[in-house]
Amino acid sequence: MGIVKIGDQLHEDIRKASSVMVRSINAQAEYWIKVGMLAEANPIMTFSEIMSEQMKQADVDVRKVIGG
């Protein structure tokens, strides 16, 4: 584990988002970093496509989760 230095405003934005998303501040930052890396690696994919692919890779059937 390492320390990543970020600006005060970004830290505040992460803190606010983490409360909405019911994640720790570290988990929210980690999520945004992962999504950013995936977006850079797959520039033609939309956010929804990236999330759908990640769910498939994790063997999550979203239709079953939402009852559809």
Side-chain angles (χ1 to χ4, degrees):
M1 181 170 109
I3 295 175
V4 176
K5 293 185 180 188
I6 60 172
D8 291 340
Q9 186 58 54
L10 180 56
H11 186 272
E12 182 63 14
D13 291 342
I14 293 169
R15 185 192 65 73
K16 289 176 184 177
S18 71
S19 67
V20 172
M21 301 305 293
V22 192
R23 297 182 177 118
S24 70
I25 293 173
N26 286 345
Q28 184 65 40
E30 206 173 311
Y31 173 75
W32 279 352
I33 290 167
K34 181 176 181 176
V35 171
M37 289 176 64
L38 289 167
E40 282 189 351
N42 300 284
I44 63 170
M45 293 177 75
T46 65
F47 174 78
S48 294
E49 291 168 337
I50 289 171
M51 291 298 103
S52 179
E53 183 61 30
Q54 290 298 297
M55 291 295 189
K56 285 179 193 172
Q57 289 180 16
D59 198 27
V60 174
D61 187 347
V62 177
R63 293 170 297 191
K64 287 182 181 177
V65 174
I66 61 173

